[in-house]
Amino acid sequence: MVCCKLGQYYRRENLHLEQKRATYKFLYILRFIGVSLIVYDHLGALRNPDWIVARVLEYWLNKPLGLIQSFGAFAVCLFLVISGFCLTTTSKNGLTFIYNKVVKIIGTLFLSTVLFYIFNILFSHLTAKTYWDQFSVIDWLKSGTLLCYVQGKESAINGAIWYLFSLMFLYLFFGLLYGIIKKHVIYLPILIDIFFILLIILNSVGVKFLPVMQWLVFALIPIFGYLIRSVYEKKISFKVFLVTFFINYMVLVESIITFRGEYYMNQPYLISMIFALSLFGIFLAFEEKIVLPRFVKFISDISFSIYLLHMTFGSLFMTELVGRLGFTLSFIVSVCLVVLLSWGQFYWIEKRAITKLR
């Protein structure tokens, strides 16, 4: 009887520890920062480089610090590191893991694409033709399922979703090797680094790869987050962490040089990544002292929907409002409308429809 009670106690304690680990407060703040910067870049600085806010930030922060794309690259790296940090072996098997990720990411993306497709048809019939009227149903399907990236083509319908293709590759890689990784967490960085090293070697001897590699190289960035969590939760030693971290960095540098050269020479993407890793480490170090504001948690919870909707609905709102309200007010109104729509998508699609399928 005593042994049974002790066993139940330790199981409860282990469950409590796992739940605590699964709800790191600092991740909410980093998602809030990341999605805010993404929206600022795509709906603000990218659309109007002469906007006073964009000029001030570019002059005082982006250029002197070497942060490209008006914080866009920094924010994407932040999301990639977060995704790697959250990559855990909690499913029964690899196929279950892959299925859950496909349903969550591709399912939500597809439904959000259908939602905007219907909205665009209604809007263009009621007002005037929009940018998105030029695309065929096949184009919409390819964008809503990431198949355009499999063909080596970027989505012209929603240009922000490319990073999901890199993540899906990582999740597929992780799921297929799930049995090995579940027993030895260090095998994921080792095996994926070996995979990219082989691709680099083959490329050097004349074996050329499809354009998909220009997106797949970013699958190495989440590995840093994965390693940080592994050493933080004492699943690997600090020595192993340092060695694998350094090797992954070198493989990432060579992969970018080989498959995405412009991000090495002209637009140093790795500087943004280093800043993202530094911010990640700082917030993790102060995890126990973080007080999470409700608004920050709210935006973090719906951040995936904001990411999916801001380049479609947000761009349409900006296009229609700028001539009437001016740029700054249009930006504020568009962001508010995107947040409202994202909350609706999160509640009805992410939280209800998608959850039932998983």
Side-chain angles (χ1 to χ4, degrees), residues 155-197:
S155 171
I157 293 172
N158 190 344
I161 60 175
W162 66 266
Y163 109 101
L164 297 178
F165 183 68
S166 303
L167 273 185
M168 286 307 303
F169 167 77
L170 176 63
Y171 293 149
L172 180 62
F173 192 96
F174 182 85
L176 292 176
L177 299 171
Y178 193 85
I180 301 174
I181 296 168
K182 194 168 185 177
K183 296 178 181 178
H184 306 283
V185 296
I186 197 61
Y187 282 179
L188 176 62
I190 291 174
L191 292 173
I192 200 167
D193 283 344
I194 291 173
F195 175 79
F196 276 94
I197 289 170

mmCIF file of all heavy atoms in Angstrom, residues 155-197:
data_model
loop_
_atom_site.group_PDB
_atom_site.id
_atom_site.type_symbol
_atom_site.label_atom_id
_atom_site.label_comp_id
_atom_site.label_asym_id
_atom_site.label_seq_id
_atom_site.Cartn_x
_atom_site.Cartn_y
_atom_site.Cartn_z
ATOM 1 N N SER A 155 5.483 30.995 -52.446
ATOM 2 C CA SER A 155 4.075 31.362 -52.538
ATOM 3 C C SER A 155 3.929 32.854 -52.768
ATOM 4 O O SER A 155 4.383 33.669 -51.965
ATOM 5 C CB SER A 155 3.323 30.965 -51.263
ATOM 6 O OG SER A 155 2.022 31.485 -51.269
ATOM 7 N N ALA A 156 3.274 33.219 -53.875
ATOM 8 C CA ALA A 156 3.008 34.630 -54.154
ATOM 9 C C ALA A 156 1.723 35.080 -53.475
ATOM 10 O O ALA A 156 1.434 36.269 -53.428
ATOM 11 C CB ALA A 156 2.908 34.852 -55.657
ATOM 12 N N ILE A 157 0.962 34.130 -52.956
ATOM 13 C CA ILE A 157 -0.293 34.452 -52.279
ATOM 14 C C ILE A 157 -0.035 34.856 -50.835
ATOM 15 O O ILE A 157 -0.617 35.815 -50.323
ATOM 16 C CB ILE A 157 -1.261 33.251 -52.351
ATOM 17 C CG1 ILE A 157 -1.683 33.029 -53.806
ATOM 18 C CG2 ILE A 157 -2.478 33.461 -51.451
ATOM 19 C CD1 ILE A 157 -2.482 31.773 -54.038
ATOM 20 N N ASN A 158 0.839 34.130 -50.171
ATOM 21 C CA ASN A 158 1.201 34.437 -48.792
ATOM 22 C C ASN A 158 2.700 34.223 -48.636
ATOM 23 O O ASN A 158 3.162 33.120 -48.336
ATOM 24 C CB ASN A 158 0.420 33.554 -47.820
ATOM 25 C CG ASN A 158 0.576 33.989 -46.371
ATOM 26 O OD1 ASN A 158 1.477 34.755 -46.027
ATOM 27 N ND2 ASN A 158 -0.308 33.510 -45.509
ATOM 28 N N GLY A 159 3.463 35.271 -48.837
ATOM 29 C CA GLY A 159 4.924 35.168 -48.847
ATOM 30 C C GLY A 159 5.555 34.912 -47.495
ATOM 31 O O GLY A 159 6.766 34.670 -47.420
ATOM 32 N N ALA A 160 4.762 34.927 -46.414
ATOM 33 C CA ALA A 160 5.330 34.755 -45.076
ATOM 34 C C ALA A 160 5.425 33.305 -44.649
ATOM 35 O O ALA A 160 6.048 33.002 -43.623
ATOM 36 C CB ALA A 160 4.487 35.527 -44.058
ATOM 37 N N ILE A 161 4.825 32.386 -45.413
ATOM 38 C CA ILE A 161 4.693 31.008 -44.918
ATOM 39 C C ILE A 161 5.873 30.116 -45.269
ATOM 40 O O ILE A 161 5.865 28.927 -44.940
ATOM 41 C CB ILE A 161 3.394 30.363 -45.445
ATOM 42 C CG1 ILE A 161 3.394 30.325 -46.978
ATOM 43 C CG2 ILE A 161 2.179 31.107 -44.909
ATOM 44 C CD1 ILE A 161 2.201 29.591 -47.571
ATOM 45 N N TRP A 162 6.899 30.649 -45.914
ATOM 46 C CA TRP A 162 8.031 29.808 -46.327
ATOM 47 C C TRP A 162 8.698 29.107 -45.142
ATOM 48 O O TRP A 162 9.189 27.982 -45.260
ATOM 49 C CB TRP A 162 9.066 30.642 -47.081
ATOM 50 C CG TRP A 162 9.749 31.680 -46.236
ATOM 51 C CD1 TRP A 162 9.398 32.987 -46.104
ATOM 52 C CD2 TRP A 162 10.887 31.491 -45.381
ATOM 53 N NE1 TRP A 162 10.243 33.633 -45.226
ATOM 54 C CE2 TRP A 162 11.168 32.727 -44.771
ATOM 55 C CE3 TRP A 162 11.694 30.399 -45.091
ATOM 56 C CZ2 TRP A 162 12.226 32.912 -43.888
ATOM 57 C CZ3 TRP A 162 12.743 30.569 -44.187
ATOM 58 C CH2 TRP A 162 13.000 31.819 -43.612
ATOM 59 N N TYR A 163 8.719 29.779 -43.992
ATOM 60 C CA TYR A 163 9.426 29.178 -42.849
ATOM 61 C C TYR A 163 8.712 27.928 -42.341
ATOM 62 O O TYR A 163 9.328 27.060 -41.721
ATOM 63 C CB TYR A 163 9.611 30.244 -41.770
ATOM 64 C CG TYR A 163 8.783 30.090 -40.520
ATOM 65 C CD1 TYR A 163 9.344 29.566 -39.355
ATOM 66 C CD2 TYR A 163 7.435 30.479 -40.477
ATOM 67 C CE1 TYR A 163 8.600 29.438 -38.199
ATOM 68 C CE2 TYR A 163 6.698 30.353 -39.327
ATOM 69 C CZ TYR A 163 7.283 29.835 -38.195
ATOM 70 O OH TYR A 163 6.544 29.706 -37.050
ATOM 71 N N LEU A 164 7.412 27.809 -42.641
ATOM 72 C CA LEU A 164 6.678 26.603 -42.269
ATOM 73 C C LEU A 164 7.175 25.396 -43.051
ATOM 74 O O LEU A 164 7.130 24.267 -42.555
ATOM 75 C CB LEU A 164 5.175 26.798 -42.516
ATOM 76 C CG LEU A 164 4.491 27.900 -41.700
ATOM 77 C CD1 LEU A 164 3.026 28.006 -42.096
ATOM 78 C CD2 LEU A 164 4.633 27.647 -40.210
ATOM 79 N N PHE A 165 7.642 25.640 -44.267
ATOM 80 C CA PHE A 165 8.180 24.546 -45.085
ATOM 81 C C PHE A 165 9.449 23.989 -44.444
ATOM 82 O O PHE A 165 9.644 22.766 -44.386
ATOM 83 C CB PHE A 165 8.469 25.056 -46.498
ATOM 84 C CG PHE A 165 8.950 23.991 -47.434
ATOM 85 C CD1 PHE A 165 8.109 22.969 -47.848
ATOM 86 C CD2 PHE A 165 10.254 24.014 -47.921
ATOM 87 C CE1 PHE A 165 8.553 21.983 -48.712
ATOM 88 C CE2 PHE A 165 10.704 23.029 -48.791
ATOM 89 C CZ PHE A 165 9.843 22.018 -49.189
ATOM 90 N N SER A 166 10.303 24.858 -43.941
ATOM 91 C CA SER A 166 11.516 24.419 -43.243
ATOM 92 C C SER A 166 11.155 23.631 -41.989
ATOM 93 O O SER A 166 11.763 22.591 -41.687
ATOM 94 C CB SER A 166 12.374 25.632 -42.858
ATOM 95 O OG SER A 166 12.709 26.399 -43.985
ATOM 96 N N LEU A 167 10.157 24.111 -41.260
ATOM 97 C CA LEU A 167 9.737 23.423 -40.047
ATOM 98 C C LEU A 167 9.154 22.047 -40.346
ATOM 99 O O LEU A 167 9.429 21.079 -39.636
ATOM 100 C CB LEU A 167 8.692 24.266 -39.300
ATOM 101 C CG LEU A 167 9.204 25.316 -38.319
ATOM 102 C CD1 LEU A 167 8.038 25.967 -37.596
ATOM 103 C CD2 LEU A 167 10.184 24.715 -37.327
ATOM 104 N N MET A 168 8.338 21.966 -41.390
ATOM 105 C CA MET A 168 7.731 20.684 -41.737
ATOM 106 C C MET A 168 8.791 19.670 -42.137
ATOM 107 O O MET A 168 8.672 18.477 -41.830
ATOM 108 C CB MET A 168 6.711 20.854 -42.863
ATOM 109 C CG MET A 168 5.409 21.512 -42.429
ATOM 110 S SD MET A 168 4.622 20.716 -40.991
ATOM 111 C CE MET A 168 4.423 19.029 -41.571
ATOM 112 N N PHE A 169 9.837 20.134 -42.808
ATOM 113 C CA PHE A 169 10.948 19.237 -43.132
ATOM 114 C C PHE A 169 11.596 18.717 -41.856
ATOM 115 O O PHE A 169 11.874 17.523 -41.717
ATOM 116 C CB PHE A 169 11.988 19.964 -43.991
ATOM 117 C CG PHE A 169 13.296 19.223 -44.096
ATOM 118 C CD1 PHE A 169 13.421 18.125 -44.933
ATOM 119 C CD2 PHE A 169 14.398 19.615 -43.340
ATOM 120 C CE1 PHE A 169 14.619 17.421 -45.014
ATOM 121 C CE2 PHE A 169 15.600 18.926 -43.416
ATOM 122 C CZ PHE A 169 15.707 17.826 -44.259
ATOM 123 N N LEU A 170 11.837 19.613 -40.897
ATOM 124 C CA LEU A 170 12.445 19.204 -39.630
ATOM 125 C C LEU A 170 11.542 18.219 -38.893
ATOM 126 O O LEU A 170 12.018 17.208 -38.357
ATOM 127 C CB LEU A 170 12.709 20.427 -38.754
ATOM 128 C CG LEU A 170 13.263 20.139 -37.348
ATOM 129 C CD1 LEU A 170 14.628 19.469 -37.434
ATOM 130 C CD2 LEU A 170 13.333 21.411 -36.518
ATOM 131 N N TYR A 171 10.245 18.493 -38.860
ATOM 132 C CA TYR A 171 9.310 17.604 -38.178
ATOM 133 C C TYR A 171 9.256 16.233 -38.853
ATOM 134 O O TYR A 171 9.150 15.201 -38.171
ATOM 135 C CB TYR A 171 7.917 18.227 -38.145
ATOM 136 C CG TYR A 171 7.821 19.463 -37.287
ATOM 137 C CD1 TYR A 171 6.924 20.493 -37.599
ATOM 138 C CD2 TYR A 171 8.615 19.619 -36.154
ATOM 139 C CE1 TYR A 171 6.832 21.626 -36.814
ATOM 140 C CE2 TYR A 171 8.531 20.752 -35.358
ATOM 141 C CZ TYR A 171 7.636 21.753 -35.691
ATOM 142 O OH TYR A 171 7.545 22.882 -34.907
ATOM 143 N N LEU A 172 9.327 16.215 -40.172
ATOM 144 C CA LEU A 172 9.337 14.945 -40.898
ATOM 145 C C LEU A 172 10.610 14.167 -40.568
ATOM 146 O O LEU A 172 10.575 12.958 -40.305
ATOM 147 C CB LEU A 172 9.237 15.196 -42.400
ATOM 148 C CG LEU A 172 9.239 13.958 -43.307
ATOM 149 C CD1 LEU A 172 8.031 13.081 -43.014
ATOM 150 C CD2 LEU A 172 9.255 14.368 -44.776
ATOM 151 N N PHE A 173 11.741 14.852 -40.584
ATOM 152 C CA PHE A 173 13.031 14.250 -40.242
ATOM 153 C C PHE A 173 12.983 13.692 -38.819
ATOM 154 O O PHE A 173 13.399 12.559 -38.552
ATOM 155 C CB PHE A 173 14.123 15.320 -40.372
ATOM 156 C CG PHE A 173 15.530 14.790 -40.334
ATOM 157 C CD1 PHE A 173 16.220 14.540 -41.506
ATOM 158 C CD2 PHE A 173 16.175 14.559 -39.128
ATOM 159 C CE1 PHE A 173 17.524 14.056 -41.484
ATOM 160 C CE2 PHE A 173 17.473 14.080 -39.082
ATOM 161 C CZ PHE A 173 18.152 13.825 -40.273
ATOM 162 N N PHE A 174 12.467 14.489 -37.916
ATOM 163 C CA PHE A 174 12.354 14.108 -36.501
ATOM 164 C C PHE A 174 11.436 12.902 -36.335
ATOM 165 O O PHE A 174 11.758 11.948 -35.610
ATOM 166 C CB PHE A 174 11.817 15.301 -35.708
ATOM 167 C CG PHE A 174 11.701 15.079 -34.226
ATOM 168 C CD1 PHE A 174 12.784 15.273 -33.389
ATOM 169 C CD2 PHE A 174 10.491 14.696 -33.667
ATOM 170 C CE1 PHE A 174 12.675 15.079 -32.020
ATOM 171 C CE2 PHE A 174 10.373 14.500 -32.296
ATOM 172 C CZ PHE A 174 11.468 14.693 -31.475
ATOM 173 N N GLY A 175 10.284 12.921 -37.010
ATOM 174 C CA GLY A 175 9.315 11.841 -36.878
ATOM 175 C C GLY A 175 9.810 10.520 -37.426
ATOM 176 O O GLY A 175 9.582 9.463 -36.830
ATOM 177 N N LEU A 176 10.513 10.579 -38.562
ATOM 178 C CA LEU A 176 11.007 9.347 -39.174
ATOM 179 C C LEU A 176 12.094 8.679 -38.327
ATOM 180 O O LEU A 176 12.282 7.462 -38.383
ATOM 181 C CB LEU A 176 11.542 9.641 -40.579
ATOM 182 C CG LEU A 176 10.479 10.050 -41.616
ATOM 183 C CD1 LEU A 176 11.135 10.422 -42.937
ATOM 184 C CD2 LEU A 176 9.465 8.928 -41.821
ATOM 185 N N LEU A 177 12.798 9.479 -37.546
ATOM 186 C CA LEU A 177 13.862 8.945 -36.681
ATOM 187 C C LEU A 177 13.448 8.958 -35.214
ATOM 188 O O LEU A 177 14.296 8.909 -34.318
ATOM 189 C CB LEU A 177 15.136 9.777 -36.869
ATOM 190 C CG LEU A 177 15.712 9.787 -38.292
ATOM 191 C CD1 LEU A 177 16.830 10.809 -38.404
ATOM 192 C CD2 LEU A 177 16.216 8.408 -38.675
ATOM 193 N N TYR A 178 12.160 9.027 -34.993
ATOM 194 C CA TYR A 178 11.612 9.221 -33.650
ATOM 195 C C TYR A 178 12.084 8.162 -32.648
ATOM 196 O O TYR A 178 12.435 8.476 -31.513
ATOM 197 C CB TYR A 178 10.087 9.216 -33.731
ATOM 198 C CG TYR A 178 9.401 9.704 -32.482
ATOM 199 C CD1 TYR A 178 9.187 11.056 -32.269
ATOM 200 C CD2 TYR A 178 8.946 8.811 -31.516
ATOM 201 C CE1 TYR A 178 8.537 11.511 -31.146
ATOM 202 C CE2 TYR A 178 8.300 9.260 -30.368
ATOM 203 C CZ TYR A 178 8.099 10.610 -30.200
ATOM 204 O OH TYR A 178 7.470 11.071 -29.074
ATOM 205 N N GLY A 179 12.085 6.897 -33.072
ATOM 206 C CA GLY A 179 12.474 5.818 -32.160
ATOM 207 C C GLY A 179 13.884 5.976 -31.634
ATOM 208 O O GLY A 179 14.153 5.737 -30.448
ATOM 209 N N ILE A 180 14.797 6.404 -32.509
ATOM 210 C CA ILE A 180 16.197 6.601 -32.098
ATOM 211 C C ILE A 180 16.336 7.832 -31.216
ATOM 212 O O ILE A 180 16.989 7.807 -30.168
ATOM 213 C CB ILE A 180 17.099 6.734 -33.344
ATOM 214 C CG1 ILE A 180 17.002 5.485 -34.217
ATOM 215 C CG2 ILE A 180 18.546 7.013 -32.941
ATOM 216 C CD1 ILE A 180 17.741 5.606 -35.530
ATOM 217 N N ILE A 181 15.696 8.925 -31.645
ATOM 218 C CA ILE A 181 15.831 10.187 -30.923
ATOM 219 C C ILE A 181 15.191 10.115 -29.543
ATOM 220 O O ILE A 181 15.668 10.734 -28.585
ATOM 221 C CB ILE A 181 15.208 11.335 -31.754
ATOM 222 C CG1 ILE A 181 15.980 11.511 -33.066
ATOM 223 C CG2 ILE A 181 15.195 12.639 -30.973
ATOM 224 C CD1 ILE A 181 15.298 12.403 -34.074
ATOM 225 N N LYS A 182 14.108 9.360 -29.422
ATOM 226 C CA LYS A 182 13.423 9.251 -28.133
ATOM 227 C C LYS A 182 14.340 8.626 -27.085
ATOM 228 O O LYS A 182 14.266 8.956 -25.896
ATOM 229 C CB LYS A 182 12.149 8.422 -28.289
ATOM 230 C CG LYS A 182 11.197 8.518 -27.102
ATOM 231 C CD LYS A 182 9.851 7.923 -27.416
ATOM 232 C CE LYS A 182 8.880 8.149 -26.262
ATOM 233 N NZ LYS A 182 7.531 7.632 -26.572
ATOM 234 N N LYS A 183 15.220 7.745 -27.507
ATOM 235 C CA LYS A 183 16.151 7.102 -26.576
ATOM 236 C C LYS A 183 17.405 7.946 -26.349
ATOM 237 O O LYS A 183 17.975 7.939 -25.258
ATOM 238 C CB LYS A 183 16.536 5.726 -27.112
ATOM 239 C CG LYS A 183 15.379 4.744 -27.194
ATOM 240 C CD LYS A 183 15.830 3.415 -27.770
ATOM 241 C CE LYS A 183 14.676 2.435 -27.871
ATOM 242 N NZ LYS A 183 15.095 1.138 -28.488
ATOM 243 N N HIS A 184 17.829 8.658 -27.396
ATOM 244 C CA HIS A 184 19.055 9.461 -27.319
ATOM 245 C C HIS A 184 18.797 10.802 -28.013
ATOM 246 O O HIS A 184 18.895 10.909 -29.234
ATOM 247 C CB HIS A 184 20.223 8.741 -27.989
ATOM 248 C CG HIS A 184 20.468 7.360 -27.476
ATOM 249 N ND1 HIS A 184 21.098 7.112 -26.279
ATOM 250 C CD2 HIS A 184 20.150 6.142 -27.996
ATOM 251 C CE1 HIS A 184 21.172 5.807 -26.081
ATOM 252 N NE2 HIS A 184 20.603 5.194 -27.108
ATOM 253 N N VAL A 185 18.498 11.837 -27.234
ATOM 254 C CA VAL A 185 18.098 13.131 -27.798
ATOM 255 C C VAL A 185 19.193 13.758 -28.660
ATOM 256 O O VAL A 185 18.911 14.515 -29.588
ATOM 257 C CB VAL A 185 17.683 14.119 -26.682
ATOM 258 C CG1 VAL A 185 16.460 13.618 -25.944
ATOM 259 C CG2 VAL A 185 18.841 14.353 -25.702
ATOM 260 N N ILE A 186 20.439 13.431 -28.377
ATOM 261 C CA ILE A 186 21.549 14.042 -29.096
ATOM 262 C C ILE A 186 21.629 13.571 -30.538
ATOM 263 O O ILE A 186 22.309 14.193 -31.373
ATOM 264 C CB ILE A 186 22.882 13.750 -28.358
ATOM 265 C CG1 ILE A 186 23.998 14.702 -28.839
ATOM 266 C CG2 ILE A 186 23.284 12.294 -28.549
ATOM 267 C CD1 ILE A 186 23.707 16.150 -28.593
ATOM 268 N N TYR A 187 20.931 12.488 -30.868
ATOM 269 C CA TYR A 187 21.011 11.965 -32.229
ATOM 270 C C TYR A 187 20.374 12.903 -33.262
ATOM 271 O O TYR A 187 20.762 12.881 -34.426
ATOM 272 C CB TYR A 187 20.336 10.585 -32.317
ATOM 273 C CG TYR A 187 21.186 9.457 -31.784
ATOM 274 C CD1 TYR A 187 20.718 8.151 -31.769
ATOM 275 C CD2 TYR A 187 22.465 9.695 -31.291
ATOM 276 C CE1 TYR A 187 21.503 7.101 -31.276
ATOM 277 C CE2 TYR A 187 23.245 8.663 -30.799
ATOM 278 C CZ TYR A 187 22.757 7.379 -30.796
ATOM 279 O OH TYR A 187 23.544 6.362 -30.308
ATOM 280 N N LEU A 188 19.401 13.709 -32.860
ATOM 281 C CA LEU A 188 18.770 14.613 -33.828
ATOM 282 C C LEU A 188 19.766 15.605 -34.423
ATOM 283 O O LEU A 188 19.901 15.673 -35.648
ATOM 284 C CB LEU A 188 17.591 15.354 -33.194
ATOM 285 C CG LEU A 188 16.936 16.405 -34.109
ATOM 286 C CD1 LEU A 188 16.345 15.761 -35.356
ATOM 287 C CD2 LEU A 188 15.865 17.195 -33.355
ATOM 288 N N PRO A 189 20.482 16.400 -33.617
ATOM 289 C CA PRO A 189 21.464 17.313 -34.219
ATOM 290 C C PRO A 189 22.570 16.591 -34.978
ATOM 291 O O PRO A 189 23.025 17.079 -36.013
ATOM 292 C CB PRO A 189 22.024 18.093 -33.017
ATOM 293 C CG PRO A 189 21.669 17.296 -31.825
ATOM 294 C CD PRO A 189 20.397 16.588 -32.151
ATOM 295 N N ILE A 190 22.994 15.451 -34.473
ATOM 296 C CA ILE A 190 24.066 14.708 -35.154
ATOM 297 C C ILE A 190 23.610 14.247 -36.536
ATOM 298 O O ILE A 190 24.307 14.459 -37.538
ATOM 299 C CB ILE A 190 24.502 13.497 -34.307
ATOM 300 C CG1 ILE A 190 25.220 13.954 -33.030
ATOM 301 C CG2 ILE A 190 25.417 12.581 -35.121
ATOM 302 C CD1 ILE A 190 25.542 12.829 -32.073
ATOM 303 N N LEU A 191 22.433 13.645 -36.603
ATOM 304 C CA LEU A 191 21.950 13.079 -37.860
ATOM 305 C C LEU A 191 21.579 14.150 -38.877
ATOM 306 O O LEU A 191 21.855 14.010 -40.071
ATOM 307 C CB LEU A 191 20.752 12.166 -37.596
ATOM 308 C CG LEU A 191 21.071 10.881 -36.823
ATOM 309 C CD1 LEU A 191 19.794 10.142 -36.461
ATOM 310 C CD2 LEU A 191 21.999 9.987 -37.639
ATOM 311 N N ILE A 192 20.973 15.241 -38.419
ATOM 312 C CA ILE A 192 20.588 16.274 -39.378
ATOM 313 C C ILE A 192 21.827 17.022 -39.880
ATOM 314 O O ILE A 192 21.877 17.440 -41.042
ATOM 315 C CB ILE A 192 19.549 17.240 -38.777
ATOM 316 C CG1 ILE A 192 18.805 17.965 -39.920
ATOM 317 C CG2 ILE A 192 20.176 18.246 -37.819
ATOM 318 C CD1 ILE A 192 17.564 18.691 -39.474
ATOM 319 N N ASP A 193 22.840 17.172 -39.038
ATOM 320 C CA ASP A 193 24.095 17.788 -39.495
ATOM 321 C C ASP A 193 24.788 16.894 -40.519
ATOM 322 O O ASP A 193 25.308 17.386 -41.532
ATOM 323 C CB ASP A 193 25.028 18.048 -38.306
ATOM 324 C CG ASP A 193 24.612 19.260 -37.494
ATOM 325 O OD1 ASP A 193 23.816 20.061 -38.004
ATOM 326 O OD2 ASP A 193 25.081 19.406 -36.346
ATOM 327 N N ILE A 194 24.791 15.597 -40.277
ATOM 328 C CA ILE A 194 25.367 14.656 -41.237
ATOM 329 C C ILE A 194 24.623 14.734 -42.569
ATOM 330 O O ILE A 194 25.236 14.727 -43.649
ATOM 331 C CB ILE A 194 25.329 13.224 -40.678
ATOM 332 C CG1 ILE A 194 26.310 13.080 -39.513
ATOM 333 C CG2 ILE A 194 25.653 12.200 -41.773
ATOM 334 C CD1 ILE A 194 26.228 11.747 -38.792
ATOM 335 N N PHE A 195 23.316 14.819 -42.493
ATOM 336 C CA PHE A 195 22.481 14.926 -43.706
ATOM 337 C C PHE A 195 22.887 16.137 -44.541
ATOM 338 O O PHE A 195 23.093 16.037 -45.758
ATOM 339 C CB PHE A 195 21.014 15.014 -43.294
ATOM 340 C CG PHE A 195 20.067 15.239 -44.438
ATOM 341 C CD1 PHE A 195 19.686 14.184 -45.258
ATOM 342 C CD2 PHE A 195 19.550 16.504 -44.689
ATOM 343 C CE1 PHE A 195 18.807 14.391 -46.318
ATOM 344 C CE2 PHE A 195 18.678 16.722 -45.743
ATOM 345 C CZ PHE A 195 18.303 15.657 -46.565
ATOM 346 N N PHE A 196 23.029 17.296 -43.899
ATOM 347 C CA PHE A 196 23.387 18.510 -44.643
ATOM 348 C C PHE A 196 24.846 18.481 -45.097
ATOM 349 O O PHE A 196 25.169 19.025 -46.160
ATOM 350 C CB PHE A 196 23.105 19.750 -43.789
ATOM 351 C CG PHE A 196 21.679 20.216 -43.870
ATOM 352 C CD1 PHE A 196 20.750 19.803 -42.938
ATOM 353 C CD2 PHE A 196 21.264 21.045 -44.901
ATOM 354 C CE1 PHE A 196 19.426 20.217 -43.016
ATOM 355 C CE2 PHE A 196 19.948 21.469 -44.989
ATOM 356 C CZ PHE A 196 19.021 21.051 -44.048
ATOM 357 N N ILE A 197 25.711 17.875 -44.335
ATOM 358 C CA ILE A 197 27.111 17.742 -44.762
ATOM 359 C C ILE A 197 27.193 16.918 -46.042
ATOM 360 O O ILE A 197 27.936 17.275 -46.980
ATOM 361 C CB ILE A 197 27.960 17.095 -43.644
ATOM 362 C CG1 ILE A 197 28.150 18.076 -42.485
ATOM 363 C CG2 ILE A 197 29.329 16.664 -44.186
ATOM 364 C CD1 ILE A 197 28.765 17.454 -41.246
#
